[in-house]
Each structure stands twice: as C-alpha cells, then as structure tokens.
Amino acid sequence: MASVGVILLGLDRFKVINESVGHAVGDRLLNAVGVRLANCLRPGDTVARFGGDEFGIILDPIADADEARRIAERIGSELRTPFPMSGREWFISASMGIALGQPGRATPDEMLREAEIAMVRAKAESSGRHILFEPSMSDHKIERIDLENDLRRAIGRDQLRLHYQPLVDLATDRIVGFEALVRWQHPTRGLVPPIDFIPLAEETGIIVPLGRWVLETACRQAVVWNDLRPDGPRLSMSVNLSAREFGQPDLIDQVDRLLIETGMDPTTLELEITESVMMDQSEVGVRALSRLRDMGVRVVLDDFGTGYSSLAYLKHLPLDTIKIDRSFVAGLDGDADRSIVGAVIALAHGLRIDVVAEGIETEAQFHLLREMGCDVGQGYLFARPLPAAEASRLLAPSRSSGATRAHVLAPAPGHPRERALADQLRPPSSRSMNRNRLMKSR
Ligand code: C2E
Ligand code: CA
Ligand code: CA
C-alpha cells in the first residue's frame, strides 16, 4: 500500500566543525549536504533544512519500510564521500530516524515526532545509522517522562532512602566509617537502585536538590552515630557527588553551612568524586577541592582505574583517599590485576594517600588486599548497604582491644549470608604501621 514517509536526518558531531572552523565554513558545508540530499531523492520527494544541523525529507509516495531503508542507505553512502572545501576534505556522517504513515492516519506533526524519537535512538546507538520508528520507542519515552515527574516529587514525598555500607579497616577488622548510598522507594516500582535514576537526575538537574538531601541526611546520621560512641574513634561518612553536583558554584558554602547546622566534625566527612569527573575539572574545580580540604573535609577519588587511570595525575590532585574500582578487586586472582593493584597501593602510599578497595566479596580477596597493605575495604563480604537501623547494629560498643569482623557482623540477625561468612572468619592479624594510618587520622 502506498503511503508517505519522513526521514529526519541529523549530522553527527556537526557542532565540533562549527566551533573549530567557524560558521562560514559550517554553512557552506550544510548547503553542500542539502545538494547531495536532493540528488538522492525521487521526483515527488521534498527536502528541507530544519534549522541547526537537521534536515527533514518527505518521501511521497513510499511503498514500504524496505524502500524507505534503501533511500536512507543511499543518503548515508552519498554523505560518506568526503566534501572538498576550503582546501581540505571534510568527513561527515548522519543519523536518521524514519517514520511511515498512511495518508489520513498519522498527522505530519506526529510523523515528525516519531522520526525524531527514532533519530535520537539512532544517534545514541552509534553515529551514521538509520532506525525505523516503532511504537515501543514512544512508550519508552512516555515512561521516561513519568519517571522524571515522579522523581521530581520524590524528595517532597519522602520517598528517598539512604542505605549505609560499612568501610572496614583491613588490619583491625574495625568499622571506620560508612558510605551513604541512595535508593528510591517508589510507590509502584518498589525500591529503585541508584543506577536506574541517578543518570536521569543528573541529566535533568534533579540531582542538585536530591544530592543536597543525601548530604544532609548522611551528615545527620553520622552525627547520631558518633554521639552514641563518644569514646570510640570517629566514624567517617562518605557521600557521592556527581559531576553536576560538583560543578555547583556554591558547593563549598553549602557544605560549610551544613557542617555548622548539623554539628558535624568536618574531618569525618568524605566526598567521593569519580575519576572521570575529577579529571575533567578545570583549575576552578581543583581549587574547590583544595578549599574543601582546607575546611578539613576529605576528598576521595572513586572508581579508580575506570577512567583515565593516570597515575601521574595523582600527585597533582588534592586527594586524601583513592578507591580502587571493584573490577580490579574481582580480577585479583589474575596476575595482571594483582600487579596493578599492588602498584597503585604502593604509589598512593608514597604520596600519603589512603587506599580503599571496593567490592570485596571473598575471603581470598580480603586476605590478598590485606597482605598488599590496602588500608580499608568495602564489600558484600563485610555487609551490603543497609538501612540506618540495621547498620547501627553492626556498630558493636567500642572496645579498646579492637573488634573482630565477627563482632562487627554478629549482631545482624536476618542476614544469614553475612552471618555465615562472619562465622568463618579468623581473628584479625597483627597491625602494621602502614595499615593504621587511616584509623589514626580519624
Ligand atoms: P559507587 O559509588 O561505586 O558505590 C558502590 C556500589 O557498589 C554500590 O552500588 C554498592 O552497593 C555496590 N557494592 C558494594 N559492595 C559490593 C560488592 O561486594 N560487590 C558488588 N558487586 N557490588 C558492591 P549502588 O548502591 O547500587 O550504587 C551504585 C552507584 O550509584 C554508586 O556507585 C554511585 O556512583 C551512585 N550513587 C549511589 N548513591 C548516590 C548518591 O547519593 N549520589 C550520587 N551522586 N550517586 C550515588
Ligand atoms: Ca562511591
Ligand atoms: Ca565506586
């Protein structure tokens, strides 16, 4: 059945060309693209520039999806031939979304919107592709909008929760702090893990009020725990900061105010920033980290090894701790990862930076890391992230001799797996000077 079709075409990375060589060259390139597109079309088809680097093509008539795909392929290959201009050759690729409609069924506006959804999908998958719109894509979009609206209200509706995962001194088996990890108690979706909403929060800016809530809640909890054990060593509280939170111009004032309001000892607060966020920082960002440290707050480089992994950078960054990513801990039974982890620990200690290993799941990993001199560990072997009440039960009354891991974990009924693990534990080994730096510093 003959129908009509729309292709929405977006040039990939065209902004880069415009920004690097100027709009005059960019405009000439766009004109040349328009000419090539017109060459690919049939007599009834129309092409129009939609502003920016997007073109809309109406295919009238179109027999079926295969025919539309063939035209999109022809356009793709036509654009792949480089464009000679201003004395050099320009390589261009385009992502295309295709929507088909029966005349009288979908309105032109609807078809364009569908083509746009497909084009966005095409761009996300890889450049230079074309994708045919399917109704399930639009369901996905609606779901995302629902999720975004729900998330905006989550704070006011008291649906956010913090879980706390203990950080354990590997030499003494004592809990030295907790990492606060956010969850969303959604009325119909259940407990939503951060991976399912932090990226959306970051993209939409919701992360700013959300992060403020996390920071305040975590600080208040740390004060409660430390007040309950006035004689014990101070527990630290680690809070994750995403790129956008870190980029707030008033972050330092916010943290300062919060520390005063909650009465939290600044030296017990640790802010975790991932390697890629930290490496992207301008001078201003690095200065912000230094100012936080001047206040006494500790700065942690999270997920170390997943980003640029530049060891040389370590000495230039104002850092107190690095957290070795759990992918390295998981790979510890292989020689390569073991050497990397060993080298990272040695280098960090040389720079007076503490090392935390995350994702410790097995006894073997625990023993290896302890032998390598890693200061602190975190992982399911010790405990999963827990609600505050359950995490409180891990905090045995402070003992001068130092609690064993079994002490740390014993008062947690309802966690048979961790209990079983705890039961297998041996008493802690003797302390080494190096491994105790982290405890002494608190
Ligand atoms: P992350 O900062 O690397 O946090 C550690 C993640 O590893 C947590 O996942 C934790 O539950 C998990 N984990 C801990 N021990 C083990 C283990 O032994 N094995 C394995 N396989 N996993 C372990 P979670 O809670 O799902 O958090 C995921 C990520 O979400 C965090 O990664 C962090 O990047 C982000 N996130 C969580 N809470 C916040 C927050 O309040 N603000 C921001 N900006 N990001 C957050
Ligand atoms: Ca973290
Ligand atoms: Ca991490």
Side-chain angles (χ1 to χ4, degrees), residues 423-434:
D423 292 339
Q424 299 166 18
L425 300 178
R426 291 199 220 132
S429 70
S430 60
R431 301 163 138 210
S432 86
M433 275 171 57
N434 209 6

Side-chain angles (χ1 to χ4, degrees), residues 366-434:
F366 163 70
H367 287 295
L368 261 171
L369 287 159
R370 187 164 67 176
E371 277 155 29
M372 288 170 145
C374 183
D375 305 287
V376 168
Q378 176 180 3
Y380 296 165
L381 176 66
F382 308 109
R384 290 180 179 254
L386 299 166
E390 285 174 57
S392 299
R393 280 186 273 156
L394 298 181
L395 292 169
S398 116
R399 295 153 52 103
S400 53
S401 59
T404 65
R405 210 151 16 119
H407 288 122
V408 157
L409 294 165
H415 287 273
R417 193 175 152 275
E418 277 109 18
R419 280 292 292 277
L421 282 165
D423 292 339
Q424 299 166 18
L425 300 178
R426 291 199 220 132
S429 70
S430 60
R431 301 163 138 210
S432 86
M433 275 171 57
N434 209 6

Side-chain angles (χ1 to χ4, degrees), residues 179 240 272 302 323 358:
E179 176 173 4
N240 294 284
E272 297 196 359
D302 202 357
K323 261 195 176 180
E358 61 182 12

Side-chain angles (χ1 to χ4, degrees), residues 195-215:
I195 184 83
D196 290 347
F197 66 91
I198 291 285
L200 179 65
E202 175 78 7
E203 214 176 290
T204 53
I206 303 173
I207 194 74
V208 170
L210 188 154
R212 218 174 285 157
W213 179 88
V214 168
L215 191 61

Side-chain angles (χ1 to χ4, degrees), residues 163-229:
H163 283 189
Y164 300 91
Q165 188 176 32
L167 291 150
V168 177
D169 182 310
L170 293 184
T172 64
D173 283 344
R174 267 206 278 202
I175 294 181
V176 289
F178 287 90
E179 176 173 4
L181 294 155
V182 71
R183 277 93 181 88
W184 177 13
Q185 187 66 59
H186 189 281
T188 55
R189 294 167 200 260
L191 197 66
V192 185
I195 184 83
D196 290 347
F197 66 91
I198 291 285
L200 179 65
E202 175 78 7
E203 214 176 290
T204 53
I206 303 173
I207 194 74
V208 170
L210 188 154
R212 218 174 285 157
W213 179 88
V214 168
L215 191 61
E216 176 167 355
T217 309
C219 288
R220 293 197 187 283
Q221 185 61 57
V223 171
V224 167
W225 276 331
N226 276 321
D227 283 354
L228 284 174
R229 30 184 277 157

Side-chain angles (χ1 to χ4, degrees), residues 304-306 309 324-345 357 365 368-369 372:
F304 186 77
T306 57
S309 311
I324 299 180
D325 188 68
R326 68 167 179 270
S327 55
F328 289 98
V329 175
L332 271 182
D333 42 356
D335 287 344
D337 279 358
R338 203 177 299 183
S339 320
I340 294 172
V341 170
V344 168
I345 293 171
Q365 291 163 350
L368 261 171
L369 287 159
M372 288 170 145

